Amino acid sequence: MIMIRAALTVALALGLLVTPLTAETQQLQKVGRLGVLTGGVLTGLSLEGSPRAYALRQGLSDLGYLEGQNIVIEWRGAAGRVER
């Protein structure tokens, strides 16, 4: 019984010592957030086929930003109402 208790104590101590080391090796990658404002009406179809949206994504890609991996693009439209 003493051997089992000693083995359990050693295993628990090693587990507590290893946990902080693994947490330090996992670095969280920052995810950038970019807001795009337009005066037009936004639909999913217009965002995919738009030359401007393509150019923006291509330019970001050239700089090492990939949408959904290390950058999030939030699209907003005023639906033709400039006062918004």
Side-chain angles (χ1 to χ4, degrees):
M1 185 66 134
I2 294 174
M3 290 292 281
I4 294 173
R5 187 177 297 170
L8 182 60
T9 303
V10 169
L12 182 61
L14 287 175
L16 291 174
L17 291 174
V18 171
T19 302
L21 296 176
T22 58
E24 288 179 14
T25 59
Q26 296 176 357
Q27 296 177 354
L28 296 177
Q29 183 178 7
K30 286 189 175 183
V31 176
R33 186 171 301 272
L34 176 66
V36 179
L37 304 173
T38 179
V41 178
L42 293 180
T43 65
L45 198 59
S46 66
L47 292 178
E48 293 301 319
S50 165
R52 289 182 181 165
Y54 176 78
L56 175 64
R57 287 185 178 108
Q58 185 62 45
L60 289 170
S61 176
D62 292 345
L63 294 172
Y65 294 102
L66 299 173
E67 189 174 7
Q69 291 183 9
N70 57 2
I71 193 163
V72 174
I73 302 175
E74 292 189 17
W75 301 87
R76 299 287 187 264
R81 296 177 50 199
V82 183
E83 67 277 2
R84 292 177 82 190

